Every structure is written in C-alpha cells, then in structure tokens.
Amino acid sequence: MKNKLIMAIALVMALVAGWAATTTTAQAATDNSLAKVQKKGTLIMGTSPDYPPYEFQATVHGKSQVVGMDVAVGKKIAKDLGVKLVVKSMSFDSLLVALQTGKVDMVISGMNPTPARRKNVDFTHTYYQGGYSIVINKNDKGIYKDKDSFVGKTIGAQTGSTMYNESKKQTSGTTVKGMTSVSDLILGLQSHKLQGVAMEKPSAQAYVSNNKELAMIPSHFDLSASDTSASVAFAKGSTSLVAAANKSVDQIRKQDLVNKDYLPAAGKYLKTNTVNTSMLHYWKAFLKGIEYTLIITVCSVFFGFILGVLLSLARMAQGGVFATALRWLATAYVEFIRGTPMMVQVMFVYFGLGLIVNLPALMSGIIAISLNSGAYIAEYIRGGINSVDKGQTEAARSLGMTSGYTMRYVVLPQALKNIWPSLGNEFITLIKDSSIVSIIGVSELIFQSNIVRSDTYRGVAPIAVIMVLYFIMTFTASRILNHFERKMQHD
Amino acid sequence: MTKPIIEVKNLAKNFGDNQVLKDISEQVDTGQVIVVIGPSGSGKSTFLRCLNLLETPTSGEVDFDGQDLTTLDTKKVNTLREQMGMVFQNFNLFPNMTVLENIKLAPMKVKGISDTDATKRAHELLKQVNLDDHADAFPTSLSGGQAQRVAIARALAMDPKVMLFDEPTSALDPEMVGEVLNVMQDLAQQGMTMVVVTHEMGFAKSVADRVWFMADGYIQENNTPEAFFSNPQTERAQDFLSKILM
C-alpha cells in the first residue's frame, strides 16, 4: 500500500513535469508515424461532432454515427493509406491535447491551420477554403448587417476556435462569449442571450436551412487564408504521415471533391436528421447515455468504496514510523483530491496518464471518479469507525479476536450502518457528477443529450428529457438505498 | 489452593502525569474468587484491564499461567486473552448480531469451531444463564439484566480459565442485579476462577474467597471477607466501610 502510494505520487510529479515538456518540444528525430499507422491498420480521427456540415451525428441504418464532409475527408485519407478509419468524438478544446498525447492519430474538425496551432502540431495542405458568417435570429434581419453591427451586443463563438479569437480581435464594443458546443451557442441565440453566432459559412448554411427561425449575414472579418481554410492536423514531427495525407488532400482539392461529393452527401444526412426530431425518436441515444452513466457510477462507487476503506484504515494507522508515513500519505491524498476539481482530475487521468498508458476514455473516467470518490468515502468511513463505541472493540479483543477480525466483523459492519445515509448520498451525487466525463467523450447521458441537441437542432427539449431521466435514476437509487437502510435497523 | 494462575508483580500504570496504579503485587490462585472493592477512582477498573492487557501497564509484570504477558507479542497476547473472559459494565454486546451470533462469533472466528458445534455450545450456555428462549433476539430488545447474562455466556463460550468482571451490575436497575449475581454465584460454585470489581458488598461477603481493598493506587488490604468486613486493618478501609455500611 505504502509503495503504491509513493509510486503514485512519483508518477504524478513526473507527469506534471513531462506534460509541460512534451507539448513544446518536438517528437523524436526518427519519424515512423506512417509505418506505425500502417502497422496497426487503423487511423484514429479526432473530431468534435457538433459542427454540421463538417461533422455531426446522424442516425444511419438505425445507428448513431459521426458523418459529414470531414469524415469523408478522413475516410479518403485512410483509404489511400490502406487502413481503416476510426472516428473518436470529443470536445473541440480537447482535440489538440488528444493529438499530442497520442489519443488520436489526426484531427479533422474544420480546424484552421493558424500559426499558433502550427507551433504544436503539423498540418496538411488545405482541403477546404471556407469563410465566416454570422447566424442571427430571423426577426433581427435588417438590424444586423455584419460584424460591426453588434456594438453593445453579444456575439458567440466556439471556445478555442479561430472565430472566437477573430471575433475578439476584430470587433470593438462587442462582447464575445465563448461556449464549448455550437448547439449551446444556437440555444443562446434563440433565447436572446446572444445576438449573433460567428461560425464557418457551411455550418451557418446548415443551421439556417434546418431551422426556420434563423438567418445568416456575412461577417466581413478581415482574414488571412490560414484563418478560413481547413486542414488536417497530425502530431508534431510526423512528416511521413503528413506527406502521405497531403497526396489525398491534393486529390480532394484537384477534383473539388468537397463541393461535388462531400457537402451534398452531408446535406442529405442533415435532412434525414431533421425529419423526425421528436425526443421519442432518439430513445436509443438516451438509453445508451443512461447505460454509461450507470456503469460509471456503479463501478466508481464500488472501487471508490474499496479505496475508501483502505484509505480510512491508513489514516487511522497507529504505532511506528511506517504507520506514521502511511497516515501522512493517506491524509495528503485525501486533502489533495478534495482540494482539486473533479473535472481536472478526469482530464488529468485521460490525457496525463495517457502519456504513459493509453487508457480508453470510459476506463479513464471510471478511474478518475473512483479515485475522487475514494477520498470522500474514506472520510465517511473514518467518521463511521470513530462513531462505533470503544467498548465494542474492547469486547471483541477480550474474546481473543485480532484487531483485523475486530475491524471486519464487529466495527466495520456497525460503521457501515452508521454511514449508510452518507454513502447513499455519495452514490446519488455520483450519478449526477459522472456527467463530467462527457468532456473526454464518454457517451454518458449529458454527452448523448448534446448529440441529440446537435442532431435535431432542438436546444431545450433534450435538456428537459435528461433532467427527468436523471431524476428517475436518483429517485430510484434513493428508494433502493432506503430499503437497505431499513433492513439494517435492528432497534 | 494450587499454584497461582495470575501473578502481578510491581504493577504500575500512568495516564500521562496521573499515576493510577502505583505498585501492586498480588496473586490469584486457580479456583479463587477475588472481589476488588474500593472508592471510585481508586484504579480498580484500570487494574482489571491491565490483567488482560486492554491497558498496557507502564511497568511491572502480569504473569498469566506462568507467562509474562507484558513481554509477549500481539499474537500470543491474543491467544492468552481467549483464556480470560471479560464482562463489562456496559455489556458491550454487538448490536448488529443476534444473541446467538454474539456468542458464536469468537469461537468460530478465533478457534475455528464449526457452526453446528458453536450453535450447540451457545444454546447450552444460554440455558445456563436461563436465556435460551432469547437466542434469536437482538441485544437492543433485551433488559440490562438479560444483556449482562448474555455477555457472561459470550465470555464463557471461549472456555476461559479466568473470568474478569468489571462492575457487572453497576449499570443495572436494582431489580435486575440479583439475576446477574445469581449467575455469577453459580459460576463460582462450579469452580471458576474469578476477579470481580464490584460495589456489591453482599456478593463479596457471601461469594468471595479474598477481598482486595484498593485505594490510592495500592491494594491496601488483602483478607478474607469475614476478617475484612468485621475488622478492617487500615484507616482507609475503615473509613470506606463506615461510609457504605452505615
């Protein structure tokens, strides 16, 4: 236990140091990126699928999957390399980190090859040259002409995107509000929190043609070519892979595949999406969300409980230098975990540990939440053990029972009964807090609802649905926990 | 009387600066019933708890069956504790288990006795303390007197050589004291070696082989009950007896 804890702390320190280093320094001189991809037979593409027609979720043959012109580009590159394309969804902010930490092989997400990004990743040639538009409410048509009409108003753009930076730079007297997903931005627009949303022209067209309440105006941003073009990003230093991908990209440009094939195909998917936007139609998506939410919660409570028992025993260790060290380490762990946001812990486990072992998102989420929950449960258990009368221990010891047996058969069962309400509370909190893992692309309920929102262009209905679903889950859980609490009462 | 089963040599116990036991050297022979009496705060309970090492003595020896407990490792202490049953003022029954489970737990977990044998033995002991009809009850449903009799049965289930009683009737309503004392008296008549800390002078008079009078961290007097109650030697004992026996 002690050794493991020391190792964990050393690991954390190494990661903190390593993280800073890897993001700036180039990869090793020998570039085997192309050979590596060909050897494993798959090309993993990272994308943020809430940006039609570039990439978005659609139901194809009854299954929800990521489609759009960027996916077509990805497929073409994979096909030309002779490997299979795997699409991984995550938030736009996380894409480049995922690329740098090897979670994905490439990023295609309508990404502009800006000089700042070029410092950290390598880009292919441009596969599409777009431009910016601003989406507004149809009723406001005539009030707003272009980017300069929003003095004293608020416009929105996707956080981490070029539009966000340019909107900040090229407007004056206008508030620029960043949000992670475009669906949220559109919702903000429709609820009049925003007066306009800056986005790529094809996206704007997609939204406007699918939502009769919206209209689009030209942005008139002064832009360099790199700001409006979209390129494929690869990890820094993967020259061979970039060169291979460039062949595909050049073909795409030469044959104008984007305008001829990819965009029309994406448009078709968009139409099928909006044919039936009732929430009932998306029950499968919600069911999958519930399934993952429950998997994460149950696993995390289970492992968190085991960790919590060990930590609480370590915190109460008595006698000797070893016990003191153990106590100190456990206390430090609990304080540290309680003192840092769970969201940061989730990202750290997924991206940070990802530098050493490549953990899938779901497993990373479960690990991070278990580690977090363990710290809280440890405190409950410690309180529970202290609440058991000392006479119980004395009686057990006087019967010749060892301290281990005493803990296991006499103290812990009583402690558990005392802390059952707190544990139940933790379980219910976790059902809700597990939503944090949506940031690393685990398809739990929040993540799924975001997909449904961008699929259907309906902002509020999916939120209402998951609110009810969360309540059903927590309420059922609390009924079940109450049942066991009653069963444990002997008095 | 045969060889001593417990021998205490120069026992002292401090709690911080507070010296509770100063210098105690006494012995208990097999089959003897010792009653320890004395004013509150004189260290009687601490003394008793030093005998099975629930309190670790500051200095001195506690020899049990010829072995000095203070020099043994934890594992050996656990084994020797099995042979010293202890009954507490507050019963300390395990509230999450039935009466039967309370009695069976240690024999099964510590001695590895089978469930069937442990159950059989538990029922015998419950008959002995006249509570067999309460085998499946939970401790919270028992009266104080019943709970204490279960606690005695639980201690006896380990077949101890010595029974230690720490004020076993002090937490009981007066009408329940008798049933517990009767069980203890039966036990004494069966030849059990017992060390009893109590304020029940009647019990001391009728059951004890020796009375130890304890005050100020010392055993002030060690005498037969007849001699002690009729003719206390020390001023401290005379003073104590004058206060409790009008």
Side-chain angles (χ1 to χ4, degrees):
Chain A
M1 177 79 193
K2 183 192 172 197
N3 284 337
K4 274 186 194 155
L5 275 170
I6 290 174
M7 266 170 60
I9 284 186
L11 195 67
V12 168
M13 284 174 170
L15 280 172
V16 172
W19 197 329
T22 43
T23 48
T24 47
T25 52
Q27 303 287 320
T30 49
D31 168 43
N32 57 358
S33 52
L34 179 61
K36 243 166 106 182
V37 166
Q38 279 171 333
K39 197 176 161 213
K40 67 175 172 150
T42 53
L43 184 65
I44 303 169
M45 159 181 166
T47 194
S48 167
D50 56 356
Y51 204 55
Y54 283 80
E55 50 269 323
F56 53 99
Q57 296 274 343
T59 311
V60 185
H61 306 305
K63 259 178 78 180
S64 181
Q65 67 182 64
V66 181
V67 295
M69 85 182 213
D70 280 351
V71 180
V73 171
K75 272 189 182 146
K76 161 99 175 136
I77 294 174
K79 198 182 154 201
D80 293 348
L81 292 177
V83 296
K84 209 173 150 261
L85 183 77
V86 178
V87 180
K88 228 178 191 178
S89 307
M90 57 189 75
S91 72
F92 192 80
D93 295 340
S94 306
L95 285 171
L96 288 186
V97 187
L99 187 58
Q100 285 165 343
T101 54
K103 295 278 166 197
V104 297
D105 298 317
M106 65 174 179
V107 167
I108 316 180
S109 202
M111 192 173 271
N112 313 124
T114 58
R117 285 182 183 142
R118 274 185 196 285
K119 278 185 196 155
N120 294 313
V121 294
D122 283 350
F123 282 103
T124 61
H125 303 155
T126 305
Y127 62 85
Y128 183 73
Q129 186 81 40
Y132 295 171
S133 293
I134 296 175
V135 175
I136 55 169
N137 285 312
K138 205 169 219 167
N139 294 341
D140 294 341
K141 224 176 168 182
I143 304 177
Y144 304 115
K145 300 263 181 289
D146 63 9
K147 68 173 166 73
D148 298 321
S149 331
F150 293 91
V151 177
K153 309 283 186 197
T154 306
I155 60 173
Q158 202 175 11
T159 320
S161 71
T162 320
M163 282 75 74
Y164 178 77
N165 296 333
E166 294 305 323
S167 302
K168 281 216 138 165
K169 255 188 255 166
Q170 299 195 26
T171 57
S172 54
T174 304
T175 311
V176 181
K177 189 155 171 46
M179 291 191 193
T180 314
S181 95
V182 179
S183 336
D184 285 338
L185 288 167
I186 294 294
L187 184 60
L189 180 66
Q190 290 185 300
S191 55
H192 301 282
K193 303 218 169 28
L194 307 170
Q195 281 71 49
V197 178
M199 63 176 91
E200 300 263 359
K201 205 166 165 187
S203 295
Q205 266 161 355
Y207 273 100
V208 170
S209 63
N210 282 291
N211 192 329
K212 291 185 176 58
E213 316 276 298
L214 301 175
M216 64 190 273
I217 53 169
S219 66
H220 293 149
F221 278 123
D222 180 21
L223 298 162
S224 67
S226 78
D227 286 336
T228 54
S229 58
S231 292
V232 184
F234 287 96
K236 192 89 184 159
S238 39
T239 329
S240 56
L241 200 49
V242 172
N246 266 334
K247 280 184 202 150
S248 312
V249 170
D250 291 345
Q251 268 182 23
I252 291 171
R253 282 306 289 259
K254 210 168 143 201
Q255 299 169 19
D256 198 17
L257 286 177
V258 170
N259 287 321
K260 275 190 193 149
D261 285 355
Y262 301 166
L263 277 177
K268 268 185 208 152
Y269 283 125
L270 278 175
K271 283 226 176 69
T272 60
N273 260 354
T274 43
V275 169
N276 189 343
T277 60
S278 88
M279 289 300 110
L280 215 55
H281 184 68
Y282 284 87
W283 68 271
K284 268 185 186 161
F286 288 117
L287 187 68
K288 190 180 172 198
I290 290 175
E291 186 189 327
Y292 276 85
T293 292
L294 288 179
I295 288 175
I296 295 164
T297 309
V298 170
C299 291
S300 302
V301 165
F302 178 74
F303 293 117
F305 182 75
I306 294 173
L307 181 67
V309 171
L310 294 177
L311 279 172
S312 61
L313 293 180
R315 283 200 75 169
M316 293 188 297
Q318 292 289 339
V321 185
F322 176 73
T324 311
L326 202 62
R327 200 167 60 232
W328 189 86
L329 279 173
T331 309
Y333 177 85
V334 169
E335 292 299 331
F336 184 76
I337 292 291
R338 291 201 304 183
T340 50
M342 180 142 93
M343 189 186 217
V344 176
Q345 294 161 5
V346 168
M347 283 170 43
F348 190 79
V349 169
Y350 185 56
F351 297 121
L353 288 186
L355 291 170
I356 296 165
V357 271
N358 198 1
L359 297 170
L362 177 64
M363 202 195 283
S364 304
I366 290 174
I367 290 175
I369 296 182
S370 302
L371 291 175
N372 178 287
S373 178
Y376 287 91
I377 292 178
E379 287 302 276
Y380 294 139
I381 293 179
R382 196 166 65 102
I385 289 174
N386 287 338
S387 75
V388 175
D389 182 27
K390 210 165 165 281
Q392 293 289 311
T393 308
E394 291 181 347
R397 298 308 299 273
S398 77
L399 288 165
M401 292 174 74
T402 62
S403 55
Y405 276 171
T406 303
M407 191 51 85
R408 189 166 144 204
Y409 295 110
V410 176
V411 178
L412 274 184
Q414 295 182 51
L416 193 63
K417 186 189 137 192
N418 291 348
I419 62 168
W420 190 256
S422 309
L423 281 182
N425 207 17
E426 174 73 9
F427 184 75
I428 283 162
T429 306
L430 275 192
I431 291 179
K432 295 176 286 172
D433 283 0
S434 62
S435 59
I436 283 175
V437 301
S438 64
I439 53 166
I440 56 170
V442 178
S443 40
E444 49 68 66
L445 202 45
I446 294 274
F447 186 86
Q448 292 296 96
S449 76
N450 284 334
I451 284 174
V452 174
R453 288 170 70 199
S454 53
D455 269 18
T456 57
Y457 302 91
R458 292 179 66 180
V460 185
I463 297 178
V465 169
I466 61 165
M467 203 150 106
V468 172
L469 290 177
Y470 271 117
F471 180 72
I472 292 173
M473 281 195 283
T474 53
F475 189 71
T476 312
S478 79
R479 291 292 100 185
I480 294 172
L481 291 163
N482 281 351
H483 171 75
F484 283 109
E485 191 178 338
R486 273 198 302 275
K487 266 190 120 174
M488 280 193 287
Q489 298 294 346
H490 299 307
D491 28 61
Chain B
M1 298 285 168
T2 51
K3 61 162 183 154
I5 179 117
I6 298 175
E7 191 165 7
V8 178
K9 294 174 187 162
N10 304 108
L11 179 68
K13 173 71 187 175
N14 302 349
F15 288 108
D17 292 334
N18 183 17
Q19 203 176 9
V20 178
L21 303 179
K22 287 171 185 158
D23 182 7
I24 295 177
S25 299
E26 295 292 346
Q27 62 182 55
V28 181
D29 292 331
T30 306
Q32 262 190 336
V33 175
I34 308 289
V35 170
V36 185
I37 59 172
S40 299
S42 57
K44 304 184 297 290
S45 287
T46 306
F47 169 69
L48 199 69
R49 291 156 62 86
C50 279
L51 293 184
N52 68 350
L53 252 55
L54 277 185
E55 300 290 356
T56 313
T58 309
S59 65
E61 270 184 41
V62 179
D63 294 352
F64 177 75
D65 226 359
Q67 278 180 291
D68 182 6
L69 294 184
T70 57
T71 61
L72 298 178
D73 61 26
T74 326
K75 216 172 151 187
K76 282 238 176 76
V77 170
N78 285 336
T79 342
L80 287 176
R81 270 203 193 118
E82 293 172 30
Q83 303 172 32
M84 284 193 272
M86 189 163 197
V87 174
F88 300 85
Q89 184 176 351
N90 294 315
F91 332 131
N92 293 343
L93 292 178
F94 308 134
N96 53 328
M97 300 175 203
T98 63
V99 165
L100 197 66
E101 286 164 349
N102 261 279
I103 299 173
K104 286 185 338 185
L105 180 71
M108 285 172 65
K109 299 300 172 197
V110 179
K111 286 191 164 174
I113 290 171
S114 76
D115 194 4
T116 332
D117 292 349
T119 309
K120 201 174 144 226
R121 176 82 176 119
H123 280 299
E124 283 169 21
L125 288 165
L126 282 172
K127 280 191 192 111
Q128 193 179 327
V129 298
N130 218 0
L131 275 174
D132 201 26
D133 47 341
H134 287 75
D136 295 321
F138 279 95
T140 39
S141 69
L142 301 178
S143 72
Q146 290 170 329
Q148 195 61 294
R149 285 185 280 151
V150 172
I152 294 171
R154 180 176 69 177
L156 289 173
M158 293 301 282
D159 294 319
K161 292 182 178 164
V162 176
M163 286 285 283
L164 309 175
F165 291 85
D166 187 6
E167 302 200 25
T169 56
S170 298
L172 299 180
D173 292 335
E175 76 271 23
M176 289 171 183
V177 171
E179 60 192 65
V180 173
L181 291 181
N182 283 340
V183 168
M184 289 168 64
Q185 193 162 358
D186 288 347
L187 208 54
Q189 273 159 11
Q190 287 161 24
M192 176 62 77
T193 310
M194 292 161 63
V195 181
V196 184
V197 171
T198 188
H199 295 293
E200 298 296 331
M201 296 305 148
F203 180 80
K205 274 183 188 163
S206 57
V207 183
D209 294 309
R210 305 290 294 183
V211 171
W212 295 357
F213 175 72
M214 198 166 174
D216 307 326
Y218 295 100
I219 304 277
Q220 309 268 0
E221 284 199 50
N222 175 350
N223 217 331
T224 60
E226 297 79 16
F228 176 75
F229 286 109
S230 57
N231 186 18
Q233 300 297 306
T234 58
E235 209 175 299
R236 208 70 182 73
Q238 288 160 9
D239 183 47
F240 176 71
L241 287 175
S242 72
K243 276 179 188 153
I244 53 165
L245 301 170
M246 324 256 253

